Amino acid sequence: MPAVHHKLLLEDALQDSPQTRSLLSVFEEDAGMLTDYTNQLLQSMQRVFGAQSEMGLATEQLSRQLLDYEKKNFALGKGDEEVITTLQNFAQTVGELNSLHSVLANQMADSMVFPLIQFREKDLTEISTLKEIFGFATDEHEAAMVKYSRLPKKKENEKLKSDLVKEIAYTRRKQHQASLQYYCALNALQYRKRVAMLEPMLGYTQAQISFFKKGIDLVSKKMDNFLSSVSNMTQNIQAQLDTEAEAMRASQRELLSVEDTVYMPDKDTEPVNRTLIQKAGYLNIRNKTGLVTTAWDRLYFFTQGGNLMCQPRGAVAGGMVLDLDNSSVMAVECEDRRYCFQITSPSGKTSMILQAESKREYEEWICTVNNISRQIYLTDNPEAVAIRLNQTAIQAVTPITSFEKRPEGSPNPDRAKPGGVHAASGGSQTTGAAPEPEDLIAPGTPIQFDIMLPASEFQDQNRTGGRRTNPFGETDDDCSTECDDSLLQQVFAVRFQGSMAVRCGNNQEVIYEAMRQVLAARAIHNIFKTTESHLMVTSSSLRLIDPQTQVTRICFQLGEVCQFAAHQENGRLMGFVVEGRDWSDGDEEGEPSFSAFVFESNTEGEKICYTISLAKDITEAKKDPEALAQLMKNMPLTNDGKFLLLEPETGDTTNGAEEDLESEA
């Protein structure tokens, strides 16, 4: 290492010449720059030491986090056993590296930071202190010289002169000693600064080499095979990721290559699938927010077995909204919105209005709910059953929405033309097993969904010869003859569902089958709109009355009603079979024909059936006055007491029963 060429000569300290002072200023400037640099270097080394200490704490925390992976119980963590084992091995290795980092931090503190701090606190602080002492001594010497220079020449004072000489000698000696110490410290600083700059870096490098050696021993002895297996595992995972990414990109390109109509609502090109037994998708549901206010919410609905489920966005699972078994579904007009339909529970107490976003979704939801309500999903092969029933329904159903075309010669213009085999009037059908649907109703029998009164009949009923029916049983003079025979009058609010010709009239199964085919046909052909009417049951006839005009839309003599029944599960459905005559073959007596009529009421269908049964009992009892009187005497009252005895209108002692108008909107 080259020697130091610049130094202050101690021999020049006493003389204190300007040349010496100039050289001294160079040394002082060098010492000041060294102090600034040392402070900056110490800051950098302390930062390295702090980072190394933080590295030890960070690796310790990393080791704990690697061990916590197993405790997280990820929802999609199945198959991560190999990853968990690998992370545990890494955690052990990181823990060992943490100990090495701690040792390295301690070595940095002892061999790098501490020597530089010692150099700054000892050597540089000493230079600063000696500089101050040298300055004070110089100032005292200059002051003593000023005093000595002011001694008078004419009046010399020996004592004063002696004191000043002693003072000058003292201050000069003091300055000389201070300068010698100051010069020696500055000269020594030129050597010490080199050591101070090299020693910390030497300690830092040695500490790092020791750290690396221990790390190499750790890796080479314990981790060569482990790191190799981990590397192979990551490469395999990356290869799988590349393959999956390419497949996803291809799938993405394929999915994005579709027509724009896929993203447009109500632009479905596929036909409606009417055989679904499961359905899922977003629907709007109407909720009441006040007495007269409603709000629509868009929720995700799906069917599960026989239940309609709803799952709000963000929810983990869905909840049951409605049991669809034996429920009814129909299209409704609601708040000027399209594609609305209503699902009603069998009891009629629970209903909800939903809206689909397209016509196809709207029809598929209605068909799906209708299929589920028939409990097709409980069969062994529900898909096949749904397809077979749908094909049968399509072949068997031909909707007719008007009664304006009548079969010529038919005594009842509102009755469908029967087809197929006819049952004999008054005959009894006795079979050991349940009859097949084909035995009850001929395949392909048309269905009528509405009763449209022709304009000519409407005008005739409002001319002088016509009569408007009063549902409360009140009579006018023109209808006294009919009222004489009407010992019972009871009115029910009903909605006509449909009618069709049937093959027999002495079996309730024919009514149930007619109900099934009528409701299935309405669902298939989306004919859900119905009109409310009043069904008046009297002791002589059944009449369907328009509640607005009080015009009789259709009338049946009670003797023509040969069978009536309410639905076994949906209590609001009821129907009856009417017997007529078919003169199309030219027979004078005519062949017996049967037509089934299906209604939905606001009350229980059993109540209507009971009233019809009571009317038939009254009709039979009319043949015997004593039997009629006994029947009227023993006629039961309902729980609410609505059945009351009628006062005789013709002066006879005959009693009747009357009930208030029932109209539940």
Side-chain angles (χ1 to χ4, degrees):
M1 184 175 182
V4 177
H5 299 285
H6 303 287
K7 63 180 180 179
L8 293 170
L9 298 177
L10 300 180
E11 294 82 0
D12 298 335
L14 181 60
Q15 186 178 2
D16 196 17
S17 64
Q19 291 79 8
T20 304
R21 284 281 183 168
S22 177
L23 183 59
L24 178 61
S25 65
V26 175
F27 275 77
E28 289 177 344
E29 181 181 0
D30 185 83
M33 294 178 64
L34 179 61
T35 301
D36 295 337
Y37 176 77
T38 302
N39 290 331
Q40 296 175 1
L41 181 61
L42 181 59
Q43 279 185 336
S44 299
M45 291 184 175
Q46 287 177 336
R47 186 175 180 181
V48 172
F49 168 72
Q52 185 59 44
S53 300
E54 180 64 25
M55 185 67 178
L57 298 176
T59 51
E60 182 180 0
Q61 184 180 4
L62 175 61
S63 178
R64 291 197 300 267
Q65 289 295 330
L66 293 176
L67 294 175
D68 287 343
Y69 182 85
E70 183 181 7
K71 304 175 183 178
K72 292 301 180 181
N73 294 326
F74 291 99
L76 303 177
K78 185 177 181 180
D80 284 351
E81 292 78 7
E82 188 175 0
V83 175
I84 292 174
T85 304
T86 304
L87 290 180
Q88 290 176 348
N89 293 334
F90 271 122
Q92 182 180 0
T93 302
V94 171
E96 296 177 357
L97 290 175
N98 176 43
S99 62
L100 297 181
H101 281 292
S102 300
V103 173
L104 177 60
N106 294 333
Q107 290 178 348
M108 285 184 178
D110 295 338
S111 60
M112 180 181 70
V113 179
F114 178 72
L116 194 60
I117 292 177
Q118 191 176 23
F119 169 72
R120 186 186 66 172
E121 299 298 332
K122 181 180 179 181
D123 297 327
L124 296 180
T125 303
E126 181 185 9
I127 294 296
S128 178
T129 303
L130 291 176
K131 181 180 179 181
E132 292 180 1
I133 295 174
F134 175 71
F136 290 149
T138 301
D139 293 340
E140 290 178 358
H141 178 260
E142 290 295 330
M145 288 301 298
V146 171
K147 291 180 182 180
Y148 182 76
S149 299
R150 292 177 180 176
L151 286 175
K153 181 173 66 173
K154 295 180 180 182
K155 296 181 180 181
E156 293 186 358
N157 188 338
E158 293 296 334
K159 185 177 183 304
L160 180 60
K161 181 179 179 181
S162 176
D163 292 339
L164 289 175
V165 170
K166 290 179 181 180
E167 184 178 357
I168 289 174
Y170 172 75
T171 56
R172 185 169 289 176
R173 178 184 290 274
K174 185 177 180 181
Q175 181 189 12
H176 190 210
Q177 291 177 350
S179 61
L180 289 177
Q181 292 178 354
Y182 188 34
Y183 289 178
C184 290
L186 289 174
N187 290 334
L189 184 62
Q190 303 305 311
Y191 296 93
R192 290 175 180 171
K193 74 176 181 179
R194 299 184 180 185
V195 176
M197 297 298 106
L198 298 178
E199 186 178 6
M201 294 309 302
L202 178 62
Y204 171 77
T205 306
Q206 290 176 345
Q208 291 286 3
I209 291 174
S210 176
F211 173 77
F212 292 145
K213 286 183 178 180
K214 294 179 180 179
I216 290 174
D217 294 340
L218 175 65
V219 173
S220 60
K221 293 180 180 179
K222 298 181 180 180
M223 300 189 65
D224 284 344
N225 296 332
F226 172 68
L227 293 178
S228 178
S229 63
V230 173
S231 178
N232 294 333
M233 183 173 63
T234 55
Q235 290 176 1
N236 293 334
I237 295 174
Q238 184 63 40
Q240 295 175 4
L241 174 60
D242 295 340
T243 304
E244 183 66 21
E246 182 61 30
M248 288 189 292
R249 283 192 292 268
S251 178
Q252 185 178 6
R253 289 192 297 269
E254 181 181 357
L255 293 175
L256 293 177
S257 63
V258 297
E259 299 292 337
D260 291 340
T261 55
V262 174
Y263 304 101
M264 299 179 184
D266 209 12
K267 294 292 183 180
D268 298 312
T269 57
E270 299 180 1
V272 177
N273 187 354
R274 302 183 184 277
T275 62
L276 295 175
I277 57 173
Q278 288 184 344
K279 183 70 176 172
Y282 280 97
L283 296 172
N284 293 328
I285 181 172
R286 191 180 72 162
N287 297 318
K288 297 188 72 174
T289 57
L291 294 177
V292 294
T293 58
T294 59
W296 293 82
D297 297 325
R298 188 168 183 263
L299 300 175
Y300 186 81
F301 288 85
F302 61 96
T303 60
Q304 189 176 74
N307 300 324
L308 179 64
M309 313 291 288
C310 174
Q311 183 173 358
R313 192 185 302 272
V316 178
M320 190 183 79
V321 179
L322 190 65
D323 184 1
L324 297 179
D325 287 345
N326 302 315
S327 63
S328 61
V329 57
M330 61 184 295
V332 293
E333 298 290 338
C334 185
E335 300 181 9
D336 197 25
R337 285 177 174 248
R338 301 185 303 167
Y339 311 134
C340 294
F341 59 96
Q342 176 176 308
I343 304 176
T344 306
S345 63
S347 63
K349 298 180 180 179
T350 303
S351 65
M352 61 175 58
I353 296 179
L354 304 170
Q355 180 191 21
E357 69 176 22
S358 66
K359 184 177 181 181
R360 177 171 173 267
E361 287 290 309
Y362 158 79
E363 295 182 3
E364 286 189 352
W365 270 106
I366 291 178
C367 294
T368 303
V369 174
N370 184 56
N371 291 337
I372 294 176
S373 68
R374 297 160 68 180
Q375 299 182 351
I376 296 177
Y377 66 93
L378 297 177
T379 60
D380 295 335
N381 192 354
E383 291 81 4
V385 174
I387 293 174
R388 180 173 59 82
L389 291 179
N390 179 69
Q391 292 176 348
T392 303
I394 291 177
Q395 295 172 359
V397 174
T398 303
I400 299 177
T401 59
S402 175
F403 271 58
E404 295 181 2
K405 296 182 179 180
R406 314 178 197 171
E408 295 182 0
S410 175
N412 192 339
D414 299 304
R415 200 169 303 157
K417 176 93 174 163
V421 181
H422 306 286
S425 175
S428 61
Q429 182 180 2
T430 57
T431 58
E436 295 294 330
E438 293 80 3
D439 299 333
L440 302 175
I441 301 175
T445 301
I447 298 175
Q448 300 177 145
F449 295 112
D450 199 2
I451 300 177
M452 303 295 294
L453 187 65
S456 59
E457 291 191 11
F458 179 80
Q459 293 174 359
D460 292 342
Q461 290 196 29
N462 285 279
R463 292 195 182 111
T464 55
R467 185 185 66 85
R468 298 184 64 184
T469 303
N470 191 324
F472 292 95
E474 298 176 359
T475 60
D476 297 331
D477 295 338
D478 296 336
C479 59
S480 59
T481 303
E482 183 178 349
C483 292
D484 291 342
D485 297 333
S486 300
L487 302 181
L488 173 68
Q489 289 186 358
Q490 190 166 359
V491 180
F492 301 91
V494 297
R495 288 173 294 279
F496 180 69
Q497 300 293 315
S499 65
M500 61 191 307
V502 297
R503 286 180 165 176
C504 63
N506 58 351
N507 192 335
Q508 288 187 351
E509 293 297 329
V510 72
I511 300 178
Y512 301 146
E513 179 62 21
M515 290 179 180
R516 187 193 68 78
Q517 291 197 20
V518 167
L519 295 181
R522 281 185 170 270
I524 291 173
H525 297 283
N526 295 329
I527 305 174
F528 299 105
K529 187 174 182 179
T530 58
T531 303
E532 184 171 294
S533 303
H534 290 164
L535 178 65
M536 176 180 287
V537 182
T538 70
S539 58
S540 59
S541 64
L542 300 181
R543 286 187 293 171
L544 196 66
I545 302 172
D546 189 325
Q548 302 296 328
T549 63
Q550 299 300 313
V551 173
T552 300
R553 304 177 67 182
I554 189 171
C555 180
F556 304 104
Q557 295 301 316
L558 198 60
E560 297 176 351
V561 179
C562 57
Q563 193 64 250
F564 50 89
H567 196 278
Q568 295 173 324
E569 297 173 349
N570 188 352
R572 295 193 303 166
L573 285 178
M574 65 84 54
F576 54 82
V577 178
V578 177
E579 181 179 358
R581 292 291 171 177
D582 182 11
W583 288 277
S584 59
D585 296 336
D587 190 356
E588 293 182 358
E589 296 183 358
E591 292 291 333
S593 63
F594 301 93
S595 299
F597 292 80
V598 180
F599 296 88
E600 181 185 22
S601 67
N602 292 340
T603 58
E604 292 294 331
E606 290 289 347
K607 191 173 183 180
I608 301 178
C609 294
Y610 171 78
T611 306
I612 297 176
S613 175
L614 180 61
K616 280 185 167 290
D617 292 342
I618 294 175
T619 301
E620 292 295 327
K622 281 183 180 181
K623 301 175 182 178
D624 185 359
E626 296 182 358
L628 178 61
Q630 184 66 26
L631 175 64
M632 294 295 101
K633 182 179 179 181
N634 298 328
M635 186 175 64
L637 299 176
T638 60
N639 293 332
D640 52 7
K642 287 187 176 182
F643 286 100
L644 302 176
L645 293 177
L646 293 175
E647 294 295 333
E649 296 181 354
T650 59
D652 297 334
T653 59
T654 305
N655 295 331
E658 177 182 345
E659 184 183 14
D660 295 337
L661 172 66
E662 297 185 23
S663 178
E664 299 176 13

